[in-house]
Amino acid sequence: MASSPAAPASTAAALTERGRQKADRRAAILAAAATLFAERGYAGVTIEDLGTAVGVSGPAVYRHFPGKAAVLAAILEGASRALLDGAERVLDEASEPERSLRALIAHHVDFALGDADVILVQDRELEQLDAGARHDVRLLQRRYVEHWVDVLSRLRPDRAEAELRVRAHAAFGLLNSTPHSARIPGRRPADGTIRGILEEMAWASLMS
Amino acid sequence: MASSPAAPASTAAALTERGRQKADRRAAILAAAATLFAERGYAGVTIEDLGTAVGVSGPAVYRHFPGKAAVLAAILEGASRALLDGAERVLDEASEPERSLRALIAHHVDFALGDADVILVQDRELEQLDAGARHDVRLLQRRYVEHWVDVLSRLRPDRAEAELRVRAHAAFGLLNSTPHSARIPGRRPADGTIRGILEEMAWASLMS
DNA sequence: CATCTCGGTTAACGCTCGCTAACATCGGGA
DNA sequence: TCCCGATGTTAGCGAGCGTTAACCGAGATG
């Protein structure tokens, strides 16, 4: 799950100059890949495209990832982990369920509006992963959903967990709608306005 | 937009035996393609797969569609048209805006639960279309959204159309959530139950 | 200072897949 | 009945693309 050959354990960060450059390149490839995958789909992007997007060309990408699928896997695992970590951080700070739900919603909106490309790829390209990576991502997603279900079941103990799970998924669809529709032309309201609308709608739908 | 060489105009339906067989084949290919595209993505399905799925093999598909892209285009245009036609039919029957909105929601849920594969493909593979077909589909989608916005603006004349458009898109994301999450294992409630939950959530979110 | 590692280059292989060609078969109108 | 057009079949081309091979220069290391 970590790096390959006996990584310098804890002091991994302050390595040499080359070490940081490599990390930067890797991050740049991931960022460019998210944008390109969102625009053209995983299959519509070539390894050469990924290289060109970060200023190297072609097979240099293989110095950072073992293959094209690994790039997608890194994006999806990163997204799932970021979403999950954020949710757990947010839940540590608020114990009252109403506050917790509002915080969960706000955090999800932040992510959806901030990393729209990643959300799009996450929604669309999960199936392209090999069984192992797909399973890992699904596990992270499941844990994320369960946090939502936990909070919801404290707010509405009368409702079955199965219903709350359907409601959580529906809320994700609602909150992720902007990355999907943003590609359609037409003027949209400012991000701040959209954020308010989505938070209000998500709350109302979940508590209805 | 219709058939090629001087089609027998109005009496097109009651043609010969061969005519009906051809129509059946075409419909079978479209249905199989929707399922396969939903499972593996447009790029993950070969023309050979499409043929095999309906009992013919490989290039026989070209007797019914000029190419792979045309199959996708037919699915997406069919879906957009069905959604739009249904909405217009529904709006003809109810003039009161509250009833209209409830009917629009119910109709959309019907479609999402009944043609989950098509909804999934519609959400994911629009970009794979060539510019012309994509434009056509976008036009149909736009008209569909505008029907929702019209009804919403009669219910909430205080709100800007831009906001209502964001709300409509968010509601679509909510209503289309089940086709997306259905692939995740785990027991789900029965369709009837899900329908009720989604309708309630959509209404609450739009009117909040 | 010699050497080794590593991130980069270009060339090329091989597979997949959309699509076309050439040919067979058969239903249906004159 | 006879022929034409439509719907299949199999063989094969050609392009695109993921990946590997072979080589190179420079920064870290002893």
Side-chain angles (χ1 to χ4, degrees), chain B residues 82-152:
Chain B
L83 225 30
L84 177 61
D85 288 355
E88 293 180 340
R89 201 177 330 115
V90 141
L91 287 178
D92 281 348
E93 292 170 7
S95 61
E96 187 198 348
E98 178 164 331
R99 264 192 173 335
S100 294
L101 182 56
R102 292 212 183 269
L104 281 180
I105 293 173
H107 169 255
H108 193 112
V109 173
D110 273 354
F111 195 91
L113 295 183
D115 292 274
D117 291 342
V118 173
I119 284 284
L120 217 72
V121 175
Q122 167 105 310
D123 281 358
R124 279 184 184 156
E125 316 283 2
L126 221 195
E127 341 266 337
Q128 307 296 332
L129 256 47
D130 57 290
R134 189 165 54 235
H135 182 251
D136 289 351
V137 172
R138 286 250 171 86
L139 273 184
L140 293 169
Q141 290 181 342
R142 203 178 220 7
R143 287 173 57 195
Y144 183 68
V145 177
E146 290 315 307
H147 282 307
W148 281 68
V149 172
D150 285 350
V151 172
L152 287 173

Side-chain angles (χ1 to χ4, degrees), chain A residues 46-112:
Chain A
T46 73
I47 290 274
E48 174 110 18
D49 290 335
L50 294 183
T52 307
V54 298
V56 303
S57 221
V61 175
Y62 288 91
R63 300 296 175 188
H64 303 271
F65 297 93
K68 191 185 174 187
V71 178
L72 180 63
I75 292 174
L76 296 192
E77 288 193 27
S80 303
R81 210 171 290 276
L83 225 30
L84 178 61
D85 288 355
E88 293 181 339
R89 201 177 330 116
V90 140
L91 287 177
D92 280 347
E93 290 171 7
S95 61
E96 189 198 346
E98 178 165 331
R99 264 191 171 336
S100 294
L101 182 56
R102 291 211 184 268
L104 281 180
I105 293 173
H107 169 256
H108 194 113
V109 172
D110 273 356
F111 195 92

Side-chain angles (χ1 to χ4, degrees), chain A residues 16 40 46 60-61 78 85 108 110 134 136 156 162 169 175 200:
Chain A
T16 167
R40 302 183 224 157
T46 73
V61 175
D85 288 355
H108 194 113
D110 273 356
R134 188 165 54 234
D136 288 352
R156 302 293 302 251
H169 279 291
L175 294 173
E200 186 180 34

Side-chain angles (χ1 to χ4, degrees), chain A residues 124-143:
Chain A
R124 280 184 185 157
E125 315 282 2
L126 221 197
E127 340 265 338
Q128 308 297 331
L129 256 46
D130 56 290
R134 188 165 54 234
H135 182 250
D136 288 352
V137 172
R138 287 249 170 86
L139 273 184
L140 293 169
Q141 290 180 343
R142 206 181 220 2
R143 287 173 58 196

Side-chain angles (χ1 to χ4, degrees), chain B residues 15-50:
Chain B
L15 249 161
T16 167
E17 176 74 12
R18 276 237 287 250
R20 199 171 58 247
Q21 281 187 346
K22 174 160 177 128
D24 287 355
R25 244 313 114 85
R26 191 189 143 96
I29 292 175
L30 284 176
T35 306
L36 289 172
F37 289 165
E39 278 172 4
R40 303 182 223 159
Y42 174 72
V45 178
T46 73
I47 290 274
E48 174 109 18
D49 290 335
L50 295 183

Side-chain angles (χ1 to χ4, degrees), chain B residues 144-197:
Chain B
Y144 183 68
V145 177
E146 290 315 307
H147 282 307
W148 281 68
V149 172
D150 285 350
V151 172
L152 287 173
S153 70
R154 282 198 284 150
L155 282 164
R156 302 292 303 252
D158 53 311
R159 287 182 168 155
E161 286 213 347
E163 164 165 358
L164 295 178
R165 209 163 284 118
V166 169
R167 283 182 178 263
H169 280 290
F172 300 157
L174 187 159
L175 294 173
N176 292 346
S177 63
T178 303
H180 286 89
S181 59
R183 313 213 155 271
I184 299 175
R187 270 283 163 266
R188 300 186 296 122
D191 261 24
T193 311
I194 292 189
R195 175 191 314 272
I197 297 172

